[in-house]
């Protein structure tokens, strides 16, 4: 008898998380209203607090769930960063609500990213470092600089970047071109055979 | 007699803009309170509306003033993008309040950027395009892609990027290293003699 009850509870939690995604993506943490979430989810407001603790914890649960989707859908691959950045670009373009949640999180709070050990930024940085040490990725840039550049570039034409769509209002229409450019840029910065010399004597006005 | 009166009014407007910068940077447009701004500026609330029209217009005035500072302090230079991105990086690191204003603007509103003709994004894109056509900047990437990458990378370790300081919590301490990495990356992507071939046969596992 316990199982159907759990399933109903799970379905309610799903509806709450979906309604909360919508509410927080639109209004952020301070602006988000638990009673609107309750209404949209067809759930009792006090039930939301029972399940999730507080509005802040509900936001955290929403963010965590969507970030987990990223790591499941786009597994990190230090051995093929040009391909990885392309897949991450696709994911970012396809998930505007997640990008808004990420932005609100940055502005209103500084939750540690809810990441497990295999998907944490520091693990990814270590993997890039290892690929550099093994000579498979150019080591002109520090590995954490490379990871920042990759994630930043992948989301440059979403709401997570205040400049991208201002500079390129037609970014969505040029998605295929942008994807190639993003991937090529990362290829150029990580190619083993172009390192060191590539960043030298630039200002010499090469023609 | 008119002049001292004007000067006093200007000083009041200065205090209002400074208080508004602080308030909007902290709380955004919806969360910002005109009465807090009035109190901090030692000005009458109705005077603020007289000067600036509405809370939204006051935000716009604040954003415009700070962006104008960017264009004055860091003149755009399509002929030396590696140097330009370094100076822009310095400005972004030194002006956290501006970066927060830019973020709130992106999330809460989509003002067109308050830019005059010489500093508008489209003018900068055209200048990069001209430098590419003249063979002084690599033309592997579209010019508006390059501009996006430059501005995005310059602000990657400010609040305008939700990932940068999560990946590199010590970014402020490593500022000199980061500045070199940013400038080198742009050099590598814009060097005339590395183009075309640089983005080819990347996945061949070059050792």
């Amino acid at each position: 008898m316990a199982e159907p009850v759990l399933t109903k509870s799970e379905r309610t939690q799903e509806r709450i998380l979906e309604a909360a995604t919508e509410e927080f993506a639109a209004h952020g943490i301070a602006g988000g209203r638990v009673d609107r979430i309750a209404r949209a989810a067809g759930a009792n407001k006090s039930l939301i607090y029972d399940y999730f603790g507080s509005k802040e914890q509900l936001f955290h649960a929403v963010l965590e769930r969507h970030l987990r989707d990223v790591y499941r859908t786009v597994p990190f691959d230090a051995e093929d960063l040009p391909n990885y950045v392309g897949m991450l670009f696709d994911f970012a373009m396809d998930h505007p609500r997640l990008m808004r949640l990420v932005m609100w999180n940055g502005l209103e709070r500084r939750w540690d990213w809810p990441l497990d050990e295999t998907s944490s930024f520091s693990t990814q940085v270590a993997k890039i470092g290892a690929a550099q040490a093994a000579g498979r990725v150019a080591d002109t840039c520090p590995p954490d600089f490379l990871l920042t550049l990759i994630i930043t570039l992948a989301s440059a034409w979403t709401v997570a970047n205040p400049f991208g769509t201002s500079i390129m209002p037609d970014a969505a229409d040029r998605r295929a071109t942008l994807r190639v450019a993003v991937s090529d840029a990362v290829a150029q910065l990580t190619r083993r055979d172009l390192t060191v010399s590539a960043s030298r004597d630039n200002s010499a006005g090469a023609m």
Side-chain angles (χ1 to χ4, degrees), chain A residues 69-176:
Chain A
D69 274 351
V70 185
Y71 306 118
R72 208 167 22 215
T73 313
V74 189
F76 181 71
D77 183 2
E79 304 294 325
D80 191 355
L81 295 170
N83 181 50
Y84 174 69
V85 76
M87 293 194 302
L88 204 56
F89 169 85
D90 282 337
F91 196 93
M93 296 295 274
D94 288 337
H95 293 81
R97 294 195 310 184
L98 167 62
M99 302 319 294
R100 289 186 65 89
L101 294 173
V102 161
M103 292 297 278
W104 290 116
N105 184 57
L107 267 176
E108 297 196 277
R109 203 146 310 242
R110 277 237 160 259
W111 288 111
D112 284 336
W113 293 90
L115 303 171
D116 64 34
E117 213 170 282
T118 57
S119 51
S120 74
F121 287 143
S122 58
T123 305
Q124 299 178 350
V125 167
K127 285 180 183 167
I128 296 178
Q132 288 182 321
R136 289 190 300 272
V137 168
D139 59 1
T140 26
C141 307
D144 46 5
F145 171 87
L146 264 184
L147 183 63
T148 307
L149 180 135
I150 285 165
I151 296 181
T152 299
L153 210 49
S155 56
W157 297 274
T158 72
V159 71
N161 187 302
F163 309 106
T165 48
S166 296
I167 297 173
M168 306 175 74
D170 58 345
D173 299 330
R174 291 166 61 197
R175 181 164 160 169

Side-chain angles (χ1 to χ4, degrees), chain A residues 17 20-21 24 29 52 54-68 98 101 105 109-115:
Chain A
L17 286 169
T21 299
F24 288 133
I29 307 168
F52 295 99
S54 66
K55 182 168 77 164
E56 284 68 24
Q57 287 171 299
L58 176 58
F59 177 84
H60 192 253
V62 165
L63 183 61
E64 184 167 29
R65 137 170 308 224
H66 289 281
L67 286 177
R68 231 187 333 244
L98 167 62
L101 294 173
N105 184 57
R109 203 146 310 242
R110 277 237 160 259
W111 288 111
D112 284 336
W113 293 90
L115 303 171

Side-chain angles (χ1 to χ4, degrees), chain A residues 16 33-39 42-52:
Chain A
I16 294 169
R33 294 279 168 270
V34 175
D35 45 9
R36 273 199 298 248
I37 295 170
R39 207 162 43 236
N44 197 294
K45 193 173 163 179
S46 70
L47 195 65
I48 296 184
Y49 289 111
D50 284 350
Y51 283 141
F52 295 99

